[in-house]
Amino acid sequence: DQQVKQNSPSLSVQEGRISILNCDYTNSMFDYFLWYKKYPAEGPTFLISISSIKDKNEDGRFTVFLNKSAKHLSLHIVPSQPGDSAVYFCAASSPNTGNQFYFGTGTSLTVIP
Amino acid sequence: KAGVTQTPRYLIKTRGQQVTLSCSPISGHRSVSWYQQTPGQGLQFLFEYFSETQRNKGNFPGRFSGRQFSNSRSEMNVSTLELGDSALYLCASSLRGLAATSTDTQYFGPGTRLTVL
């Protein structure tokens, strides 16, 4: 049972425009959410996180939005750069499940120069 | 600081064999978690070790096991390999890990690509 879903396997965006990556979850007990970025032949690297007490968190060009009522998470990248081309995973955790992370299947972002 | 290292990076085995993968966490990190990544399923949590004890376990059969040593290095073992075990196996380390009251940022290694023929 996939508790965290990324329904778009891929996304292409022009350089300089906004990239929006989406993530939906089913477990209302999730209280901590993260985004990871993964380049080929490398492990995922942490990008940004948000706790359920917030609805927005910003870090430079990256902003994560959380809509708890819709059980929806999104990552905005503005402006997009070619170096942002990678696979992005969202993940969620809950103390009820031992805080283990549940990952989505990933969205491959291509930023076109 | 050196990052998380995993050995070997690539491995080819045949059905029925067993395999052991190794993970060295970032110095000072006491928690090591293991994940299986497959194209259709994304990253799936296998288990977490903290101070040599398994603290969390995902929904995988008993053929998947692990251990952690006193220096926090961890090994994962898969016995009686099946074709479906072909995947990228990732380990991640963190300071406190998946503690009851908080969640640490996890730092991932590059993974071991296991192919079962």
Side-chain angles (χ1 to χ4, degrees), chain A residues 36-83:
Chain A
Y36 279 85
K37 178 168 76 170
K38 186 179 186 299
Y39 293 117
E42 294 182 14
T45 55
F46 170 74
L47 200 53
I48 192 168
S49 64
I50 188 168
S51 133
S52 60
I53 61 172
K54 294 185 173 183
D55 54 19
K56 176 183 171 182
N57 189 28
E58 266 183 274
D59 184 1
R61 297 186 296 114
F62 302 91
T63 303
V64 56
F65 294 91
L66 176 62
N67 182 334
K68 289 185 288 291
S69 60
K71 296 193 187 70
H72 180 79
L73 188 69
S74 63
L75 175 69
H76 293 209
I77 306 173
V78 184
S80 301
Q81 299 173 353

Side-chain angles (χ1 to χ4, degrees), chain A residues 83-99:
Chain A
D84 295 330
S85 297
V87 177
Y88 290 78
F89 292 95
C90 65
S93 70
S94 159
N96 284 35
T97 55
N99 278 331

Side-chain angles (χ1 to χ4, degrees), chain B residues 43-111:
Chain B
L43 278 77
Q44 293 192 290
F45 175 76
L46 280 152
F47 30 65
E48 182 214 8
Y49 283 87
F50 184 86
S51 293
E52 301 179 64
T53 302
Q54 189 181 88
R55 191 163 63 176
N56 276 290
K57 190 176 189 307
N59 191 25
F60 276 81
R63 300 185 297 107
F64 292 82
S65 63
R67 59 177 175 167
Q68 186 179 34
F69 302 95
S70 57
N71 62 358
S72 293
R73 189 177 70 85
S74 177
E75 288 182 347
M76 190 192 92
N77 186 74
V78 189
S79 63
T80 321
L81 283 166
E82 300 176 359
L83 295 179
D85 297 333
S86 294
L88 180 67
Y89 289 89
L90 294 158
C91 83
S93 78
S94 64
L95 276 169
R96 297 185 306 276
L98 312 179
T101 57
S102 66
T103 305
D104 257 348
T105 296
Q106 296 190 321
Y107 297 86
F108 283 84

